[in-house]
Amino acid sequence: MNLDLILTDADIITLEPGRPSARSVGVLGGRIVGFDEELAGCTADRVESLAGATVVPGFIDAHCHTTWWGLGLSAVDLEPARGLEELYRLLEREVERLSSDPGAWVSGTGFNHKNHGGLFPDIGRLDALTGDRPLYLRHVSGHLSITNTATLRLAGALEPGFEDPVGGAVLRDDAGRPTGVIEESAQALVQNLLLPYPVEQIVQALDDATTRYAAEGITSFTEAGIGGGWIGHSPLELGAYQRARREGRLRARAQLMPALDALRPLAGGDGDLHGERSGLGLDLGVHAGFGDAWVSLGPVKVFLDGSLLGATAAVTEDYCGHPHNSGYLLDDADAFRGRVAAAYRAGWPIALHAIGDEAIDLATEIIVDCQRRYGRNALPNRIEHFGIARPDQLAPVAAAGIAVTPQAAFIGPLGDQFAELVGPGRESWLYRGRSLVDAGVTLAGSSDLPVADNNVRRAMQSSVDRTTERGRVLGGAAEGLTPEEALRSYTEWAARATGLEADRGTLRSGKLADFAVLSGSPLTAPDIAALDVVATIVGGEFTHDRRRAGASPQPNGALA
């Protein structure tokens, strides 16, 4: 038999109990056809010797924001700035660069107040730098933004009688003057001035972003919110993904979560929508699972609360240093119950953003109730982030079969801030690892890019050692995973959480030929983060290959 591709001389980690390791693997039609002795006598259009490199299942980032990040690649990167004066200089240079385009926005991304002594930019300084030019600076959490007076005026936030939208706020000082900081759903006031992004701009963002995904070994990802709310970019966003795929500009497989706000009322006949004849969905009754191996629909994304960094996540005990501040839900709990149930009975699994323990209580209650009333939908229900979880919250989540996506990628760059906000009594609740696995909860690896970077190797190492920038072991060493568990979180368990385990997550005959090729084994490396991504392969095609110049495939090679 002539195959499309054979990889040889490799240390292949399959994560399958029947054949945990191999030295060669064959690919035909984008899928795995066999290993080692099963390939005897086979030829291939392309035979690649990997010179002892390690092959693992392609990495799956189960929660990220690809379009947002891709669009932000052209914005000013604020992360390197240390101190507000340095930040102001970056913005001043950007204003000068845009001087020939008077209508252009000044856009920045990656702001974190920890880099500026806990301070936010002064709106007076921002106004002096930008004048009438609109300004939009995104906080690293994604749940705060910073803008200037000109933009607030355009958004109508300075009009007499203006009221904050439900689930958000335009922050003001003691005299009632806007500070330039906008929280949560109030960010839509600014986003609406930019929306909708043209499809070509979204396609370019996907091209730029997934090229970088390939360099990190990522072969699949779940986009956590498209088409509506402050997280969406266009009502045509799904079409942009389809176009990117058609034009060869999508280099990783995409599962897309429609935002709850993207759904609209549906009406059915007798017996439809679990007998209630009404629900929330997309036209023609399309729901989760629709699509193909490259672009498909996932659960509906719902924001229940805010962020930990912004102290807007809903918790049952005040944040340390913030008396009488326990965050907030982004809408009335009964409103969430009604809207989510309407989407669920229309066939949509649900992915509920819940960082604080109060929000986790509500998320668990809603999912358990929907499953009891309507049964299970096509894909697993999920709680996104699961950031501050009490010990008593683990067993109910496990019993209900709810998957969770706590971001180990946050631990290094953000863990010290998290610990200071919750205090020593709750530190062990933060972005759990071991306790979730031991409780039987499916733990899916993810980055929440651009909140954290999507270096999967660094995230896996953080899952193991849980070490912050200042050397703190967040929550204690007992929460650490083994290296194998860390690898499974970004492969097998992420596939299970996304409902795609039949096709990806482990390596066996019949599954998609999606591989990450590493410079060493993540199971034995002293530091997983120090490993290099040698190559990335999606459906038997190389999407990234950093091997030495001059290396070439062997056409029509054969294995004895």
Side-chain angles (χ1 to χ4, degrees):
M1 178 185 293
N2 189 65
L3 306 181
D4 297 325
L5 173 68
I6 296 175
L7 301 177
T8 68
D9 192 20
D11 172 21
I12 302 172
I13 300 171
T14 69
L15 298 178
E16 285 281 343
R19 185 193 287 265
S21 63
R23 297 294 297 174
S24 59
V25 59
V27 177
L28 180 65
R31 292 185 178 267
I32 298 168
V33 295
F35 300 90
D36 293 350
E37 77 284 352
E38 298 169 335
L39 305 177
C42 289
T43 59
D45 293 338
R46 183 174 186 177
V47 175
E48 291 275 357
S49 172
L50 295 179
T54 298
V55 175
V56 299
F59 296 141
I60 302 169
D61 190 335
H63 179 118
C64 57
H65 302 282
T66 309
T67 302
W68 168 13
W69 187 60
L71 292 169
L73 292 172
S74 61
V76 179
D77 183 6
L78 304 176
E79 197 284 329
R82 294 297 183 268
L84 291 177
E85 291 302 322
E86 187 172 340
L87 180 140
Y88 296 142
R89 285 194 292 273
L90 288 175
L91 296 178
E92 184 176 27
R93 285 198 291 270
E94 180 67 359
V95 170
E96 291 173 357
R97 187 183 73 81
L98 297 172
S99 59
S100 61
D101 186 356
W105 285 61
V106 177
S107 298
T109 188
F111 175 80
N112 190 335
H113 53 288
K114 77 169 184 178
N115 298 329
H116 309 281
L119 300 176
F120 284 76
D122 177 74
I123 192 170
R125 288 289 299 273
L126 296 177
D127 289 346
L129 286 169
T130 58
D132 291 331
R133 189 183 294 275
L135 172 75
Y136 185 34
L137 309 180
R138 300 197 76 157
H139 190 271
V140 67
S141 69
H143 290 258
L144 303 173
S145 297
I146 301 155
T147 190
N148 60 0
T149 299
T151 311
L152 292 172
R153 184 177 297 111
L154 287 171
L158 304 183
E159 294 295 320
F162 170 82
E163 294 184 3
D164 288 328
V166 173
V170 176
L171 299 190
R172 298 174 185 270
D173 61 21
D174 292 340
R177 295 183 296 262
T179 65
V181 178
I182 48 179
E183 286 182 348
E184 303 300 342
S185 64
Q187 294 180 99
L189 297 169
V190 177
Q191 277 277 49
N192 288 341
L193 300 173
L194 295 164
L195 295 175
Y197 287 90
V199 166
E200 173 53 34
Q201 192 173 354
I202 296 174
V203 170
Q204 185 61 54
L206 295 175
D207 190 343
D208 294 341
T210 59
T211 297
R212 290 163 172 81
Y213 283 15
E216 297 294 345
I218 294 169
T219 58
S220 295
F221 64 95
T222 296
E223 178 79 340
I226 66 164
W230 65 265
I231 200 66
H233 298 90
S234 167
L236 307 178
E237 206 159 353
L238 171 57
Y241 271 87
Q242 292 176 312
R243 175 174 159 186
R245 168 58 183 153
R246 187 171 63 249
E247 295 179 358
R249 299 166 71 183
L250 188 68
R251 292 170 180 81
R253 306 181 192 276
Q255 182 188 67
L256 310 177
M257 290 183 181
L260 182 62
D261 290 342
L263 306 187
R264 57 186 181 181
L266 296 179
D270 291 342
D272 291 338
L273 299 159
H274 291 272
E276 299 192 25
R277 301 184 61 177
S278 66
L280 289 173
L282 299 180
D283 288 343
L284 303 178
V286 170
H287 56 71
F290 184 81
D292 59 21
W294 273 94
V295 179
S296 64
L297 293 175
V300 162
K301 171 70 179 297
V302 184
F303 286 96
L304 294 188
D305 70 344
S307 77
L308 178 48
L309 283 186
T312 56
V315 292
T316 55
E317 179 184 343
D318 287 352
Y319 291 103
C320 295
H322 299 264
H324 312 299
N325 177 18
S326 55
Y328 51 88
L329 297 173
L330 300 186
D331 202 348
D332 177 76
D334 284 338
F336 278 128
R337 293 183 183 102
R339 294 184 71 203
V340 172
Y344 195 87
R345 64 177 176 264
W348 291 99
I350 44 181
L352 303 179
H353 167 115
I355 291 180
D357 62 322
E358 180 184 352
I360 291 171
D361 282 336
L362 179 60
T364 306
E365 174 209 317
I366 289 174
I367 292 172
V368 169
D369 183 62
C370 284
Q371 292 180 169
R372 176 185 59 80
R373 292 165 63 187
Y374 306 122
R376 301 293 181 99
N377 283 325
L379 305 176
N381 296 306
R382 300 170 36 159
I383 297 178
E384 307 304 299
H385 309 300
F386 209 73
I388 311 170
R390 301 188 311 271
D392 65 287
Q393 293 179 311
L394 306 189
V397 168
I402 301 168
V404 302
T405 61
Q407 285 74 32
F410 289 176
I411 293 173
L414 306 175
D416 294 305
Q417 288 175 277
F418 292 165
E420 290 168 2
L421 281 164
V422 301
R426 288 179 286 176
E427 184 183 330
S428 64
W429 303 1
L430 289 169
Y431 292 89
R432 291 173 176 272
R434 163 64 46 211
S435 55
L436 286 170
V437 174
D438 289 349
V441 178
T442 297
L443 185 163
S446 71
S447 65
D448 200 21
L449 183 79
V451 180
D453 67 37
N454 62 356
N455 183 325
V456 175
R457 294 147 294 142
R458 185 183 67 76
M460 287 196 291
Q461 184 61 39
S462 289
S463 295
V464 173
D465 64 32
R466 298 185 63 85
T467 303
T468 70
E469 284 182 350
R470 299 180 195 164
R472 177 197 301 265
V473 178
L474 191 71
E479 279 294 329
L481 303 182
T482 67
E484 181 177 329
E485 290 167 336
L487 176 60
R488 288 185 188 275
S489 75
Y490 268 94
T491 53
E492 180 187 10
W493 299 347
R496 186 185 307 159
T498 54
L500 300 171
E501 67 270 30
D503 269 344
R504 58 199 88 177
T506 64
L507 304 180
R508 69 166 183 257
S509 294
K511 284 199 171 189
L512 293 167
D514 294 354
F515 313 118
V517 183
L518 307 177
S519 59
S521 170
L523 305 185
T524 58
D527 180 4
I528 302 171
L531 298 176
D532 293 324
V533 176
V534 176
T536 304
I537 300 168
V538 182
E541 298 292 333
F542 283 75
T543 56
H544 170 73
D545 192 346
R546 57 162 287 174
R547 290 172 297 175
R548 66 186 183 278
S552 59
Q554 304 167 42
N556 300 315
L559 288 181

